[in-house]
Amino acid sequence: MRYSVDGTWRTSASGSTCEALNPSKANAPANRFQACTTSEVDEVFAKAREAQRTWQRTPLHARAALLHRAATLMRENAGEMAEALVLEVAKGAKDARVEVERSADLIDYTAEEGVRLLGEGKLLMSDSFPGNDRTKLCMASKVPVGIILCIPPFNYPVNLCVSKIAPALIAGNTVVVKPPTQGCTATLHMIQCFLKAGFPAGTVQAVTGRGGEIGDYLTTHPEVNAISFTGGETGIRVAQKAGMVALQTELGGKDACIVLPDADLDLAAKSIVKGGFSYSGQRCTAVKLVAVFEEVADELLSKVNAQIAKMTVGQPEDDATITAVVSKSSADFIQSLVVDAESKGARLCQEWRREDNLIWPLLIDNVTHDMKICWEEPFGPVLPVVRVKSDAEALELVNKSRFGLQGCVFTKDIDRAIQMADAMETGTVQINGPPARGPDHFPFQGVKDSGIGSQGITNSINVMTKVKSTVINLSKPSYTVA
Ligand code: NAP
Ligand code: G3P
């Protein structure tokens, strides 16, 4: 597949390509993408700058209309994007379609939100500050930051790309996208919908290539005004490398699910299974640790294990619950965490089973703090359980983690739930429900190694704009301007 520059699709002069593999077919070759050169990157940024000068002067309603058009085209072309997600990131066929439709809804919502949010400014009067007469009128409005580099992860290469480019475009910025290698095809099909919708040349462009090869050049490029990155540890490197630019980084998580003795165990078990195993645990918001009070642990685990026993394991095109994880290195990492835990005394509730990237769902009981799986993000269908005896013990698990994305607590005691939520060092706490980023207008943020800044449609628009003050200095005070 070609990369996108200035409204056209091109083959790279490098003559070299990078390859996406099919995780469900023993990593057989799936698709090839251009390995863009640094001078091609320079050209893309030059086009983005040129286009931004005009785009920022395009009326808000016209920007919104183009976004709605792109959303419509995405719904019309959902099939090809869904197929690409099944092929390159082993997402179940139904879930793949849901991702595309969710993304189209996000774009429509962003267009509406942008028209409201950006369609009004703020007027401040100088005389509200002591010692000042009303001789200064300050019009404060939100203006675009310029060019936004958007880097989505493999696990939601459509949804976590539009969650960046839609707010960026409605705000008058232009975007340069670096799609993930695994999942690249679906992202490029989505970009094609924006171009077909009529976005002016240079407003939406995509540079392809391995992040490990072209990533640093992109994130340190002088034309970049803001970076919106979603991914793992790489994001810490991006933040360290990025210069004086606005940053939105949504990174990994170790979302804990705390189950108190009075919890509705059926609800907790259902949420743990949905949160821990949907998309084979490859969600930043997946439940990645269960902290359950000793006195209800056996009952909870028997409910969870009963549901695991019913899970289908197999091919994404058949909508199996558990499908292959994205890469051999990911499967190896997951296996290493299980081996480490078992060697230190953890109890596997199911037999360990793996065929290539396909790992059977696994609950791991009696996990202790010395086991890596207690702290690492497996990003796979294996879920550690720590038995606790107090709120403090459960909170220690959450707050000692270097991650801080989400957490959840199950209890019928709302006061205790709120106290726990206050004490949890995470960007979001869910009470009696599993962690989730959506719905996409909710604020979504991580703390500690889970990220910088906040996402969610309104927050993303705010990250991608800056305040501009225009102060009218009057020759004499005027109180007619109310
Ligand atoms: P990743 O390995 O960090 O890659 C993320 C993106 O960064 C990919 O597009 C990758 O391109 C690119 N990249 C790689 N090296 C780069 C560099 N030096 N400079 C700039 N970009 C570079 O993450 P992933 O494996 O795709 O996604 C899984 C991780 O993302 C998990 O940790 C998960 O928790 C996290 N995640 C977080 C959220 C959230 O909202 N908090 C949501 C989803 C996922 P290549 O594919 O070409 O390497
Ligand atoms: O990592 C992907 C995650 O962002 C998915 O969204 O709403 O299913 O938690 P959600």
Side-chain angles (χ1 to χ4, degrees):
M1 291 195 77
R2 293 168 294 162
Y3 74 101
S4 164
V5 53
D6 204 24
T8 65
W9 294 92
R10 274 214 220 130
T11 302
S12 168
S14 69
S16 63
T17 57
C18 58
E19 189 172 55
L21 307 175
N22 179 344
S24 310
K25 303 280 184 293
N27 302 304
N31 280 309
R32 284 191 165 282
F33 312 103
Q34 305 303 309
C36 293
T37 63
T38 52
S39 54
E40 284 159 350
V41 168
D42 295 346
E43 183 198 3
V44 163
F45 278 116
K47 296 293 180 193
R49 180 64 64 203
E50 206 179 300
Q52 205 268 331
R53 294 202 183 90
T54 324
W55 178 242
Q56 67 179 335
R57 302 203 179 301
T58 305
L60 257 177
H61 63 80
R63 296 182 214 159
L66 285 172
L67 280 175
H68 287 306
R69 179 88 191 104
T72 304
L73 287 168
M74 279 185 66
R75 291 186 183 94
E76 290 166 6
N77 297 282
E80 65 180 357
M81 276 173 264
E83 265 166 43
L85 291 170
V86 168
L87 179 68
E88 288 176 19
V89 298
K91 189 160 285 188
K94 282 206 198 84
D95 289 347
R97 239 179 210 281
V98 167
E99 177 177 347
V100 178
E101 274 138 26
R102 173 183 178 175
S103 305
D105 294 344
L106 188 156
I107 297 170
D108 282 332
Y109 191 106
T110 303
E112 293 311 315
E113 178 70 2
V115 165
R116 303 275 154 325
L117 197 64
L118 301 164
E120 64 181 53
K122 195 173 178 182
L123 183 64
L124 296 93
M125 319 297 188
S126 51
D127 62 316
S128 61
F129 198 83
N132 286 271
D133 214 336
R134 189 171 290 189
T135 52
K136 289 177 181 290
L137 307 177
C138 173
M139 298 183 290
S141 59
K142 293 177 194 288
V143 297
V145 293
I147 300 175
I148 304 197
L149 174 62
C150 302
I151 306 180
F154 83 81
N155 64 335
Y156 283 73
V158 174
N159 185 257
L160 283 167
C161 190
V162 298
S163 65
K164 301 172 189 311
I165 66 175
L169 291 165
I170 193 68
N173 302 284
T174 51
V175 296
V176 174
V177 174
K178 201 312 276 174
T181 300
Q182 294 293 132
C184 190
T185 301
T187 309
L188 295 178
H189 283 323
M190 179 267 290
I191 301 269
Q192 176 63 354
C193 292
F194 278 73
L195 299 184
K196 269 206 246 164
F199 277 87
T203 53
V204 185
Q205 302 178 96
V207 171
T208 53
R210 283 211 171 284
E213 287 155 20
I214 197 74
D216 291 358
Y217 189 76
L218 284 165
T219 50
T220 55
H221 200 281
E223 286 292 347
V224 171
N225 300 112
I227 299 175
S228 178
F229 175 94
T230 301
E233 310 277 321
T234 322
I236 298 173
R237 176 192 178 85
V238 168
Q240 286 157 347
K241 288 221 168 258
M244 280 290 284
V245 300
L247 263 183
Q248 182 187 48
T249 61
E250 298 292 345
L251 311 181
K254 185 68 183 177
D255 299 7
C257 175
I258 300 176
V259 183
L260 302 185
D262 72 334
D264 172 339
L265 295 181
D266 290 317
L267 173 66
K270 196 160 145 271
S271 302
I272 287 167
V273 167
K274 180 169 182 280
F277 295 97
S278 58
Y279 190 36
S280 308
Q282 298 179 110
R283 293 166 53 244
C284 59
T285 46
V287 171
K288 298 189 181 109
L289 183 77
V290 174
V292 56
F293 272 63
E294 186 65 58
E295 59 259 51
V296 291
D298 292 346
E299 192 182 347
L300 177 75
L301 266 59
S302 71
K303 290 177 188 291
V304 173
N305 285 327
Q307 293 180 42
I308 289 176
K310 293 192 210 117
M311 285 181 188
T312 53
V313 180
Q315 295 304 312
E317 54 271 25
D318 308 330
D319 287 311
T321 310
I322 302 296
T323 58
V325 295
V326 72
S327 63
K328 179 183 179 312
S329 58
S330 173
D332 293 346
F333 175 64
I334 295 163
Q335 183 162 3
S336 72
L337 294 177
V338 175
V339 169
D340 170 76
E342 205 177 9
S343 70
K344 292 172 181 165
R347 179 178 72 86
L348 306 191
C349 299
Q350 291 74 23
E351 176 215 333
W352 164 258
R353 189 167 165 204
R354 170 187 171 181
E355 286 168 13
D356 296 316
N357 300 13
L358 194 53
I359 292 174
W360 270 248
L362 185 64
L363 198 64
I364 307 173
D365 191 7
N366 299 335
V367 165
T368 49
H369 290 213
D370 60 330
M371 298 171 190
K372 292 189 189 132
I373 202 163
C374 196
W375 310 106
E376 292 293 337
E377 179 186 44
F379 228 57
V382 296
L383 186 52
V385 176
V386 177
R387 294 170 178 244
V388 296
K389 295 186 180 59
S390 67
D391 294 9
E393 228 186 293
L395 288 170
E396 187 201 0
L397 273 170
V398 175
N399 295 344
K400 221 168 100 184
S401 169
R402 65 188 176 81
F403 292 109
L405 192 61
Q406 296 208 356
C408 55
V409 57
F410 286 82
T411 172
K412 295 193 184 76
D413 178 343
I414 193 63
D415 297 333
R416 195 169 169 192
I418 297 292
Q419 276 152 28
M420 295 285 277
D422 279 352
M424 289 161 82
E425 294 168 10
T426 55
T428 300
V429 176
Q430 307 268 352
I431 294 174
N432 292 328
R437 171 167 54 89
D440 292 328
H441 65 304
F442 278 15
F444 178 74
Q445 55 281 320
V447 296
K448 301 189 275 187
D449 283 0
S450 288
I452 300 169
S454 181
Q455 181 171 280
I457 293 166
T458 307
N459 290 351
S460 290
I461 292 174
N462 288 331
V463 167
M464 294 169 185
T465 49
K466 56 191 176 193
V467 177
K468 171 89 179 252
S469 303
T470 306
V471 179
I472 301 170
N473 293 277
L474 303 169
S475 55
K476 58 183 185 310
S478 158
Y479 288 88
T480 53
V481 183

